[in-house]
């Protein structure tokens, strides 16, 4: 059985991405390019399968400009037997890649096609699924464990899904996509780099494979994500309470009441926790039974009385000193050093007079 | 380091040259001893207060003053942390001419004061070449402006050189101007295995010829260093797990052309493999792999620290003699200690480290009362050989050996507290006398970093 592995050349994982000044894409000139880490994992899995005697040959394939040959050489140095480079423009969308892969599969007839679950440059996470659809092969995506049974011609695949692992049994031939925990890829050692020099890399074109590289998608603009605002270190609890009251936009929390007011249809506006009252902001962060009990316990610890407090803002006002102590305990003296001294003492005095 | 315990009641953190000058002026007038301190990562106890010295720490003097993209000259305050300078320059497309394992904590002022060498010396030379100017505060508080940014300046004595490597004994460095090379995009790293030390040497010889201008680091470690790293650091993976080798060599090339550099390196490596100099090796295929190779070499000091007590020697020796010392030391100490050798082979700099489970300053006596059933009671005295005796086995042997082979007992870490009295192993009496005269001239009251660098007897 042959195994085909798809390999993509991407901007190195450790490089900080920069956007081209005309916003047409990501800067790649003079930038370190490497094999997509998930493709490395896919290749490692294929090599392991071959080493265990269950496959006869590993073929690495890559599509894109001529520099992809460097990446294929890395694949050969890791241990792939031969490689195919399909000459194509740098920006290929998943559907085009899937069509090219399908054509290559028809030429090479592998028993397994392994890909990375996604490429770290466009994060599409589509190619594996698309090619499985085009080939009408079963697919095991996000594989974290693969066991082959050559006799029965099945692959048992563990997949990482929300809430646990799913185990699938796939009839071969099949498509697999590799997740992070599938294996740890090997290094390219010198003897293998030397051997790789004489391994063949076949060059093909889309025309030869009878695939029309056409895209129904167009990239309009590439921009950086908005910069995260820097955090601020506050110097007093008064400042903190002030910020919570005026800047934290507590009123904009998406509670059921708020959503309903914005015209979003809901089954109910009642609090999903207690199902007794409307879920207003104040209810969610202060009034609801369990939450209220938590505040009471805190107040008890602070040795304060909050039985007369009516809402969250009132709570903030009443428990300023308690909040101060809690924060200084949580964050240590370092950051809130000044706070600790200033407020810590008042609280201690207070608790002394109270008890 | 767990090795030196400081004792000081006061640490001052001036915010600028003016404040620092005021402090020194006051201390000088009251004859109060001070110890300059940067990141406190020095390995010879230079930044540790011995008795009651006032610590003057430069950490708050950490701003970058200017950077000139055309000349590559960076001017900054002494308290800038090396790693911050590296990342600042990275954004400008430049690098620092020095890099070392302690980069996350050490400060440029500390680096200059110790004339730190590090991992790139083989390519960019020592700080005596790259530091273009300094601002220094003398013991009496006078501020010396030598903060030139010129590459060439032959007007009179070039006094900044006195302060580079003087470990805070002549003045406190407050500003540094340093020449930084442009960052080149193509970096390749190979991790190689050699069967014997002679192969490492030949490999260096070949690398200098065949890699020439792109060679940027040539580091070596022996199998004991490798084992320490694999056993004591988390997440480290042996790049060449198929077999155990006696030596490992890390070669880095830095150049401007990815494909031709890689071709050159691969051709060199193939040649080295074919001629039997290299037994096995791996070539980093991406930056992640590159940094994990570096992590092995840079992690050795940390691994040693985790392994227990460590006696560190930083020696310059003729490359061909270098490893003989490690082997002789192993025979001397036998099974009691783990003798580890690694270092900057490209610069003829050996880090000889002797690792033992713990430090101990005294010989331990254990008394046992042995009462046999019907015989008399016997008092048994057992003397346990402690590392103190190990120290007596190492020193002065290691210094004498180095001196005999015309090496230096401190290649890059300095003399500090640890080796102040040992200076004669590497410098003639006349030279040391002249150093003492300079010290007395610049610091007549002897307040700056006392007990360090120069033997006490010459200063009192
Ligand atoms: C993990 C590790 C790896 C290392 N690798 C290397 C290496 O590869 N090459 C190498 O050469 N060294 C190496 N070192 C040691 C090196 O000397 C120091 O790490 C560094 O150069 C000291 O900087 P620092 O800011 O920590 O200085 P400190 O340790 O604080 O001080 C060092 C000396 O300089 C003096 N000093 C500090 N700041 C000033 C100032 N502004 N003015 C005057 N005097 C001052 C101090 O009094 C002291 O004598 C390493 C250390 C560690 C912990």
């Amino acid at each position: 059985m042959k195994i085909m592995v798809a390999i993509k050349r991407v901007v190195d994982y450790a490089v900080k991405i920069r956007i081209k000044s005309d916003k047409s894409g990501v800067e790649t000139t003079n930038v370190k390019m490497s094999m997509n880490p998930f493709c490395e994992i896919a290749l490692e899995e294929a090599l392991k399968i071959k080493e265990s005697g269950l496959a006869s040959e590993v073929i690495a394939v890559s599509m894109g400009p001529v520099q992809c040959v460097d990446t294929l050489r890395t694949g050969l140095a890791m241990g792939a037997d031969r490689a195919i480079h399909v000459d194509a423009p740098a920006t290929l969308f998943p559907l085009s890649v899937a069509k090219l892969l399908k054509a290559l599969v028809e030429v090479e007839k592998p028993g397994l096609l392994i890909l990375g679950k996604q490429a770290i440059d466009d994060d599409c996470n589509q190619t594996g699924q698309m090619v499985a659809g085009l080939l009408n092969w079963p697919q095991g995506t996000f594989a974290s464990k693969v066991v082959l049974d050559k006799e029965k011609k099945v692959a048992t695949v563990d997949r990482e899904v929300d809430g646990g692992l799913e185990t699938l049994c796939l009839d071969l031939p099949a498509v697999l996509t590799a997740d992070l925990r599938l294996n740890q890829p090997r290094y390219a050692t010198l003897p293998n780099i030397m051997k790789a020099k004489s391994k063949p890399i076949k060059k093909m074109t889309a025309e030869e494979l009878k695939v029309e590289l056409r895209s129904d998608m167009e990239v309009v603009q590439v921009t950086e994500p908005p910069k995260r605002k820097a955090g601020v270190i506050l110097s007093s609890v008064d400042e903190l309470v002030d910020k919570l009251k005026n800047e934290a936009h507590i009123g904009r929390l998406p509670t059921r009441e708020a959503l309903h007011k914005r015209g979003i249809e809901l089954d109910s506006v009642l609090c999903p926790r207690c199902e007794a009252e409307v879920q207003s902001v104040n209810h969610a962060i202060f009034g609801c039974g369990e939450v209220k009990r938590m505040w009471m316990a805190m107040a008890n610890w602070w040795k304060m009385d909050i039985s007369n407090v009516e809402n969250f803002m009132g709570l903030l006002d009443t428990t300023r000193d308690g909040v101060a102590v809690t924060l200084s305990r949580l964050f240590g003296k370092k950051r809130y050093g000044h706070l600790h001294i200033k407020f810590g003492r008042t609280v201690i005095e207070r608790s002394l007079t109270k008890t | 380091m767990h090795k030196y315990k400081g004792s000081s009641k006061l640490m001052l953190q001036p915010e600028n040259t003016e404040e620092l000058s005021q402090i020194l002026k006051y201390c000088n007038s009251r004859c109060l001893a001070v110890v300059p301190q940067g990141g406190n990562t020095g390995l010879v106890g230079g930044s540790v207060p011995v008795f009651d010295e006032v610590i003057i720490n430069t950490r708050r003097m950490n701003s970058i003053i200017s950077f000139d993209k055309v000349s590559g000259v960076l001017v900054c305050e002494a308290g800038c942390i090396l790693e911050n300078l590296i990342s600042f320059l990275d954004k400008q497309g430049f690098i620092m001419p020095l890099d070392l394992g302690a980069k996350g904590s050490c400060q440029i002022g500390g680096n200059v004061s110790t004339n730190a060498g590090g991992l790139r010396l083989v390519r960019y030379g020592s700080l005596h070449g790259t530091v273009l100017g300094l601002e220094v505060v003398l013991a009496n508080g006078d501020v010396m402006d030598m903060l030139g940014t010129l590459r060439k300046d032959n007007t009179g004595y070039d006094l900044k050189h006195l302060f580079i490597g003087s470990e805070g004994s002549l003045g406190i460095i407050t500003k540094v101007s340093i020449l930084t090379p442009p960052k080149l995009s193509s970096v390749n790293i190979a991790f190689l295995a050699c069967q014997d030390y002679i192969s490492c040497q030949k490999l260096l010889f070949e690398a200098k010829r065949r890699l020439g201008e792109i060679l940027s680091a040539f580091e070596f470690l022996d199998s004991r260093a490798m084992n320490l790293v694999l056993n004591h650091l988390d997440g480290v993976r042996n790049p060449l797990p198929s077999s155990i080798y006696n030596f490992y060599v890390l070669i880095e090339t830095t150049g401007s052309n990815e494909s031709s550099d890689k071709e050159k390196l691969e051709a060199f490596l193939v040649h080295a493999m074919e001629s039997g100099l290299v037994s096995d090796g791996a070539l980093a295929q991406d930056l992640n792999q590159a940094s994990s190779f570096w992590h092995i070499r840079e992690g050795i000091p940390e691994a040693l620290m985790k392994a227990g007590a460590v006696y560190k020697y930083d020696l310059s020796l003729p490359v061909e003699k270098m490893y003989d010392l490690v082997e002789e030391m192993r025979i001397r100490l036998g099974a009691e200690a783990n003798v580890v050798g690694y270092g900057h082979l490209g610069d003829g700099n050996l880090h000889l480290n002797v690792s033992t489970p713990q430090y101990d300053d005294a010989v331990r006596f254990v008394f046992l009362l042995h009462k046999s059933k019907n015989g008399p009671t016997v008092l048994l005295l057992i003397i346990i050989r402690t590392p103190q005796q190990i120290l007596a086995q190492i020193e002065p042997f290691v210094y004498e050996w180095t001196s005999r082979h015309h090496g230096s007992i401190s290649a890059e870490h300095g003399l500090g507290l640890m080796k102040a009295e040992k200076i004669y192993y590497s410098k003639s009496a006349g030279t040391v006398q002249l150093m003492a005269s300079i010290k007395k001239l610049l610091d007549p009251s002897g307040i700056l970093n006392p007990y360090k660098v120069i033997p006490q007897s010459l200063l009192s």
Side-chain angles (χ1 to χ4, degrees):
Chain A
M1 179 180 83
K2 291 188 211 170
I3 303 178
M4 184 181 280
V5 181
I7 282 171
K8 185 172 185 185
R9 179 180 140 96
V10 298
V11 174
D12 192 282
Y13 163 74
V15 166
K16 196 176 174 313
I17 297 291
R18 276 178 299 124
I19 305 286
K20 282 187 192 161
S21 51
D22 65 0
K23 299 190 176 172
S24 63
V26 169
E27 189 62 77
T28 54
T29 40
N30 258 333
V31 169
K32 171 85 179 161
M33 306 289 281
S34 301
M35 191 189 294
N36 176 38
F38 292 107
C39 299
E40 248 182 304
I41 297 171
L43 178 57
E44 175 67 33
E45 197 61 21
L47 295 173
K48 276 169 116 177
I49 294 172
K50 187 190 157 190
E51 280 161 1
S52 67
L54 295 171
S56 55
E57 192 182 33
V58 174
I59 310 159
V61 302
S62 186
M63 27 227 81
V66 57
Q67 293 91 331
C68 291
V69 170
D70 291 346
T71 316
L72 284 172
R73 282 262 173 248
T74 298
L76 294 175
M78 282 174 71
D81 298 289
R82 60 190 170 90
I84 301 172
H85 169 226
V86 182
D87 199 29
T91 45
L92 280 179
F93 289 102
L95 187 57
S96 305
V97 179
K99 285 178 181 165
L100 287 170
L101 281 173
K102 173 178 186 259
L104 286 170
V105 162
E106 280 158 2
V107 176
E108 295 289 344
K109 308 208 166 16
L112 260 182
L113 171 63
I114 314 184
L115 305 88
K117 70 166 179 180
Q118 70 197 70
I120 58 163
D121 51 359
D122 55 24
D123 275 343
C124 277
N125 179 0
Q126 296 167 354
T127 312
Q129 293 85 330
M130 285 178 173
V131 71
L134 293 175
L135 286 166
N136 205 14
W137 283 9
Q139 54 180 301
T141 52
F142 306 95
S144 60
K145 189 178 167 201
V146 174
V147 180
L148 281 193
D149 187 330
K150 212 177 169 186
E151 305 280 284
K152 291 187 198 140
K153 291 200 151 221
V154 291
T156 311
V157 178
D158 283 357
R159 314 178 59 231
E160 298 190 357
V161 294
D162 281 354
L165 281 185
E166 181 182 73
T167 305
L168 295 179
C169 246
L170 311 174
D171 290 332
L172 298 183
V175 174
L176 303 181
T177 73
D179 209 334
L180 194 63
R181 278 167 285 275
L182 181 58
N183 58 49
Q184 196 176 29
R186 67 196 63 193
Y187 292 116
T189 62
L190 279 188
N192 285 335
I193 290 172
M194 282 157 72
K195 272 187 230 151
K197 297 230 180 279
S198 54
K199 291 178 183 172
I201 299 182
K202 190 170 160 193
K203 194 172 164 177
M204 299 188 89
T205 60
E207 291 85 68
E208 281 169 335
L209 292 166
K210 301 199 175 55
V211 174
E212 195 194 340
L213 294 183
R214 181 175 52 85
S215 177
D216 302 326
M217 283 202 285
E218 184 197 342
V219 173
V220 181
Q221 190 179 310
V222 176
T223 53
E224 285 198 38
K227 287 227 160 53
R228 217 175 134 245
K229 269 204 207 154
V232 285
I233 295 180
L234 305 179
S235 58
S236 70
V237 168
D238 287 329
E239 206 180 325
L240 173 69
V241 170
D242 178 65
K243 291 225 184 269
L244 280 174
K245 278 181 155 176
N246 301 316
E247 288 177 36
H249 306 298
I250 288 171
R252 284 203 225 148
L253 288 174
T255 58
R256 288 193 165 183
E257 185 188 47
L259 293 175
H260 176 74
K261 275 189 193 151
R262 279 183 231 156
I264 294 168
E265 266 182 49
L266 298 167
D267 294 341
S268 147
V269 290
L270 290 184
C271 170
R273 214 168 7 220
C274 63
E275 294 185 337
E277 281 180 53
V278 172
Q279 193 196 28
S280 64
V281 170
N282 196 53
H283 177 84
I285 63 178
F286 178 74
C288 181
E290 265 174 57
V291 183
K292 187 82 171 270
R293 268 196 294 284
M294 178 202 70
W295 287 121
M296 298 289 263
M298 295 286 275
N300 198 19
W301 180 51
W302 293 328
K303 300 204 163 42
M304 288 176 180
D305 183 8
I306 57 165
S307 49
N308 294 329
V309 173
E310 282 175 359
N311 55 32
F312 185 69
M313 293 300 167
L315 179 80
L316 280 180
D317 284 333
T318 317
T319 59
R320 258 164 215 251
D321 295 345
V323 173
V325 175
T326 312
L327 288 180
S328 65
R329 286 201 185 143
L330 280 179
F331 299 107
K333 270 189 189 175
K334 254 192 207 154
R335 278 199 165 176
Y336 284 84
H338 146 197
L339 207 149
H340 185 83
I341 298 163
K342 199 165 145 202
F343 291 90
R345 204 184 304 124
T346 20
V347 172
I348 290 166
E349 280 166 10
R350 209 178 262 204
S351 57
L352 278 179
T353 49
K354 275 196 179 168
T355 45
Chain B
M1 284 274 329
H2 320 302
K3 183 165 175 186
Y4 300 101
K5 265 222 175 69
S7 67
S8 172
K9 295 212 166 64
L10 183 63
M11 170 154 92
L12 300 172
Q13 300 184 350
E15 209 156 309
N16 51 43
T17 306
E18 182 52 28
E19 283 182 16
L20 200 148
S21 156
Q22 298 277 329
I23 294 169
L24 280 182
K25 196 180 251 165
Y26 179 80
C27 289
N28 196 45
S29 71
R30 306 283 307 267
C31 277
L32 295 173
V34 302
V35 49
Q37 191 176 75
N40 204 14
T41 67
L43 298 171
V44 289
S47 53
V48 180
V50 185
F51 294 110
D52 53 358
E53 297 94 298
V54 174
I55 300 171
I56 301 184
N57 189 300
T58 45
R59 59 183 284 248
R60 288 173 69 192
M61 302 172 59
N62 61 358
S63 42
I64 289 168
I65 298 164
S66 68
F67 179 68
D68 179 348
K69 268 198 158 187
V70 178
S71 61
V73 177
L74 171 76
V75 183
C76 65
E77 289 187 309
C80 291
I81 289 175
L82 181 59
E83 191 160 49
N84 295 348
L85 293 177
I86 292 173
S87 44
F88 167 80
L89 287 173
D90 189 67
K91 286 186 207 120
Q92 316 286 327
F94 286 77
I95 60 170
M96 284 298 277
L98 83 161
D99 189 5
L100 42 99
K103 60 177 159 257
S105 316
C106 68
Q107 302 173 3
I108 188 68
N111 297 145
V112 174
S113 301
T114 56
N115 187 20
L119 307 166
R120 294 205 184 116
L121 191 125
V122 73
R123 174 74 169 266
Y124 301 111
S126 96
L127 289 173
H128 279 291
T130 47
V131 171
L132 301 181
L134 294 176
E135 181 189 78
V136 177
V137 182
L138 299 182
N140 63 6
D142 285 357
V143 179
M144 291 292 123
D145 180 359
M146 302 173 282
L147 199 61
T149 53
L150 306 171
R151 286 206 73 177
K152 299 170 104 177
D153 176 15
N154 282 357
T155 48
Y157 307 142
D158 199 343
L159 293 178
K160 67 168 184 284
H161 288 293
L162 273 181
F163 299 91
I164 301 175
S166 62
E167 302 176 65
S169 63
L170 299 179
I172 299 188
I173 295 172
T174 44
K175 290 184 187 123
V176 176
S177 121
I178 188 167
L179 184 66
T180 68
K183 182 183 169 142
L184 300 178
S185 60
S186 142
V187 179
N188 285 298
I189 288 156
F191 194 86
L192 309 170
C194 295
Q195 223 35 283
D196 47 31
Y197 182 67
I198 187 93
S199 303
C200 301
Q201 271 180 63
K202 287 188 185 156
L203 193 67
L204 171 63
F205 182 88
E206 289 289 319
K208 283 190 175 166
R209 264 151 202 79
R210 288 173 176 260
L211 298 174
E213 75 291 349
I214 61 169
L215 182 66
S216 56
F218 194 107
E219 299 285 313
F220 93 109
L221 51 146
D222 62 14
S223 58
R224 300 209 184 187
M226 183 73 170
N227 283 339
L228 276 172
V229 171
L230 294 175
N231 294 336
H232 290 280
L233 298 189
D234 291 337
V236 176
R237 205 174 140 205
N238 185 352
L240 307 168
S242 54
S243 186
I244 293 171
Y245 302 95
N246 293 323
F247 293 92
Y248 297 90
V249 168
L250 192 150
I251 292 181
E252 182 192 76
T253 65
T254 306
S256 53
N257 187 318
E258 175 89 43
S259 58
S260 78
D261 287 0
K262 197 159 187 177
E263 215 168 278
K264 206 169 181 175
L265 178 61
E266 280 185 6
F268 163 71
L269 294 176
V270 166
H271 168 81
M273 188 109 193
E274 278 165 359
S275 56
L277 293 181
V278 167
S279 311
D280 198 359
L283 192 59
Q285 301 294 320
D286 55 41
L287 297 176
N288 207 12
Q289 293 185 359
S291 71
S292 47
F293 289 177
W294 266 123
H295 185 56
I296 295 175
R297 166 60 188 87
E298 292 186 293
I300 302 171
E302 190 190 340
L304 277 161
M305 227 113 86
K306 289 192 173 162
V310 51
Y311 298 85
K312 297 172 98 65
Y313 300 90
D314 157 45
L315 312 161
S316 262
L317 286 166
V319 173
E320 67 275 12
K321 287 278 177 332
M322 214 158 102
Y323 206 73
D324 292 352
L325 175 58
V326 181
E327 280 165 350
E328 280 187 41
M329 192 59 91
R330 257 175 216 153
I331 295 170
R332 255 181 103 78
L333 299 180
E336 282 168 72
N338 189 12
V339 181
V340 175
Y342 66 95
H344 316 294
L345 195 71
D347 320 325
N349 184 181
L350 171 71
H351 291 319
L352 171 72
N353 284 244
V354 179
S355 164
T356 57
Q358 75 223 43
Y359 292 114
D360 216 332
D361 281 344
V363 180
R364 266 200 233 131
F365 299 96
V366 179
F367 295 94
L368 284 178
L369 277 177
H370 183 78
K371 219 189 239 166
S372 52
K373 257 195 186 142
N374 28 28
T377 303
V378 202
L379 177 71
L380 293 177
L381 165 63
I382 302 170
I383 303 174
I384 298 178
R385 258 183 93 97
T386 62
Q388 179 62 23
Q389 281 177 319
I390 282 188
L391 188 60
Q393 291 275 316
I394 307 173
E395 293 178 20
F397 172 79
V398 63
Y399 297 130
E400 286 166 2
W401 201 99
T402 306
S403 183
R404 210 171 340 118
H405 293 94
H406 310 290
S408 166
I409 60 156
S410 176
E412 58 175 17
H413 294 164
L415 294 166
L417 183 61
M418 179 184 173
K419 293 188 250 187
E421 303 293 330
K422 310 284 194 295
I423 191 169
Y424 293 109
Y425 286 108
S426 291
K427 290 280 151 68
S428 71
T431 320
V432 180
Q433 191 60 54
L434 180 59
M435 290 184 193
S437 313
I438 294 172
K439 165 83 178 166
K440 282 182 196 160
L441 177 71
L442 292 183
D443 178 19
S445 317
I447 62 160
L448 278 170
N449 225 359
Y451 328 109
K452 322 263 172 74
V453 190
I454 291 184
Q456 251 345 80
S457 54
L458 294 183
L459 296 175
S460 39

